[in-house]
Amino acid sequence: MIYDNRLIKEINSELAERRKAAESRAEYYADILTKNADYTAAEKNYNTAKFNLSKARFNGDDTAERKAASDMKAASETMKAIRKKLGVTDEMLIPDYHCKICNDTGITRSGKRCRCFEKLACEITLEELGIAKKPLPLLSESAIKENNLDRYYAKFSGYCKKFGEIRKNVVISGSVGTGKSHLAACIANELIANNYNVVFVSACELDTIFIKYHTAPVYDKAFYLSLLCGCDLLVIDDLGAEPIFKNVTLEYLLLILSERLTKNMPYIITTNLSQEQLLDRYGDRILSRLNDKKHGVNIEIKGEDLRRKK
C-alpha cells in the first residue's frame, strides 16, 4: 500500500498508544509487587542467590553452588506464593502487545513493515472514508451450522488454512438471506485473526471509494488503488445492490478485478444476482473475470431466507 506522511504519522501514533497501553498494564501489576515488602525482600534474596550461584560455578565450589541453587529455589517459591496471594500472574507482568510479531512497533526484526502496519493503514483510510469497521463472526463449526452452512465449513476452513499457498477467488451467489454474507464475513475474520490484511466492504461502500478515486487529484489516485489492490484479500459484499454511476462503477470494478487477477491477489464476492443478471448489469468483461475458473470458484447457495426462519 502507498503511504503519505500524514497516514504514517497516524499509524505510528496508534501503534504508540497500543504499546503504551500494553506496557502500562504490565507496569501496573509490577508496581503492585514492588510495593509489597515481602516480595521485594524475596526478590532481593533471589538475585543475591543467583549471583552467588554464578560465582560458585566460576570458582568450582560445589557446596556453595548447591546452597545458592537451594536459596534461589526457596526465594522463587516465596515470590510465586506472594504473586498468587496478590492475584498477579506471570502473564500479567509481560506486556500483552496487540501484535506479537513486532510488539506494536510496526517494524519486524528484519526491518520490514509489519502486516499490522498495513492493516492499520487500511482501517484508518476506510474510517476516513466513512466506512465503519464491521464486527465479523467467527469461522466455527457451530456458528456455521446455526446458519445451515455446515456443508461449507470444511471447504472454507481449508481455504483459510491454505490461504498463503493457494489463493483462489470465490464468488458466492444465491437468493436473499441464504447466508452468503455470513460465510464471507467468517472467512474474512479467520484470515484477519491469522494476521492477513483483509478489506471487507459492501458494494455500496466500494462505490464510495470509486467516487473518491474518480475525483481525486492524479497524484492521490494510486493511494486509493493500492487500498483495494494491495490488501491480501478484498471482500465485496452484496454486489448488485450498489447504484451504477456513469464512468465510475463498472470501469473501476473492472480495473480492480483485473489488477487483482494480474497480481494473484484474491477476492471474495457475494451477490444475489444470477449469471444472466450479472451479465445484464456488468457486461461480458466483468462477468468473464468473475467466472475465471483458472483463478477461482463459483458457489451457489440454495435454500430459504434464514432471517425469516429465525
Side-chain angles (χ1 to χ4, degrees):
M1 185 170 177
I2 297 172
Y3 309 93
D4 59 20
N5 291 333
R6 178 196 56 79
L7 182 58
I8 291 173
K9 186 176 179 180
E10 284 191 52
I11 296 169
N12 286 333
S13 176
E14 175 61 27
L15 289 171
E17 285 295 318
R18 290 181 178 182
R19 285 198 308 276
K20 183 179 178 182
E23 290 165 3
S24 293
R25 283 193 297 269
E27 288 169 6
Y28 169 79
Y29 291 114
D31 194 47
I32 291 174
L33 299 179
T34 302
K35 290 178 179 177
N36 184 284
D38 291 336
Y39 188 86
T40 53
E43 188 175 38
K44 183 178 179 181
N45 291 338
Y46 179 87
N47 290 331
T48 300
K50 187 177 181 180
F51 174 78
N52 291 337
L53 180 64
S54 297
K55 183 180 177 181
R57 284 175 176 170
F58 180 79
N59 294 329
D61 190 336
D62 293 341
T63 302
E65 183 178 340
R66 285 193 294 272
K67 183 180 184 309
S70 177
D71 290 345
M72 269 185 72
K73 183 178 180 181
S76 179
E77 290 298 324
T78 300
M79 292 163 66
K80 185 177 179 180
I82 294 172
R83 285 199 300 270
K84 185 176 181 181
K85 184 179 178 180
L86 295 174
V88 178
T89 64
D90 292 342
E91 289 76 17
M92 291 175 178
L93 299 172
I94 301 171
D96 185 19
Y97 293 110
H98 190 275
C99 179
K100 305 299 186 288
I101 296 174
C102 71
N103 290 343
D104 295 337
T105 62
I107 304 295
T108 64
R109 290 183 179 180
S110 63
K112 295 181 180 180
R113 279 189 175 132
C114 185
R115 283 185 178 273
C116 71
F117 192 98
E118 298 173 3
K119 289 166 74 173
L120 260 176
C122 286
E123 288 174 16
I124 291 171
T125 302
L126 291 172
E127 186 178 349
E128 289 178 352
L129 288 168
I131 300 172
K133 188 176 180 180
K134 300 170 180 64
L136 301 174
L138 295 173
L139 180 65
S140 66
E141 194 166 5
S142 58
I144 292 291
K145 191 172 183 178
E146 282 178 15
N147 287 273
N148 292 337
L149 297 167
D150 45 305
R151 62 189 180 279
Y152 298 106
Y153 174 74
K155 180 187 292 290
F156 284 108
S157 180
Y159 176 88
C160 292
K161 288 177 182 175
K162 295 180 180 179
F163 185 78
E165 308 164 26
I166 305 171
R167 299 188 166 198
K168 287 282 187 180
N169 303 317
V170 183
V171 177
I172 308 173
S173 61
S175 55
V176 175
T178 50
K180 303 181 300 297
S181 296
H182 180 85
L183 189 56
C186 286
I187 297 165
N189 198 21
E190 182 72 9
L191 292 175
I192 289 170
N194 284 296
N195 212 34
Y196 286 105
N197 183 18
V198 179
V199 172
F200 188 109
V201 290
S202 69
C204 290
E205 291 169 336
L206 186 65
D207 247 357
T208 299
I209 302 174
F210 286 163
I211 291 170
K212 190 72 176 179
Y213 174 82
H214 186 70
T215 57
V218 174
Y219 52 81
D220 279 345
K221 287 186 180 293
F223 174 78
Y224 294 104
L225 192 62
S226 69
L227 171 69
L228 299 173
C229 295
C231 56
D232 295 313
L233 175 68
L234 173 65
V235 181
I236 305 172
D237 186 36
D238 206 10
L239 186 71
E242 78 286 2
I244 300 291
F245 295 114
K246 187 179 179 181
N247 299 325
V248 173
T249 305
L250 301 185
E251 287 78 2
Y252 297 143
L253 178 60
L254 177 62
L255 173 64
I256 295 304
L257 296 181
S258 299
E259 282 285 318
R260 293 193 69 86
L261 280 169
T262 300
K263 295 178 180 179
N264 195 28
M265 302 291 278
Y267 55 77
I268 293 177
I269 293 175
T270 72
T271 182
N272 297 331
L273 303 183
S274 65
Q275 286 286 303
E276 293 76 14
Q277 290 170 323
L278 286 169
L279 178 60
D280 289 342
R281 185 176 176 85
Y282 298 105
D284 282 326
R285 298 176 72 191
I286 289 177
L287 185 61
S288 171
R289 284 154 180 78
L290 295 180
N291 290 336
D292 185 347
K293 293 182 180 179
K294 181 180 178 181
H295 298 97
V297 294
N298 288 57
I299 296 172
E300 183 181 4
I301 299 179
K302 298 179 180 180
E304 300 177 55
D305 189 337
L306 298 175
R307 300 185 188 96
R308 291 182 180 178
K309 291 176 73 174
K310 291 178 181 179

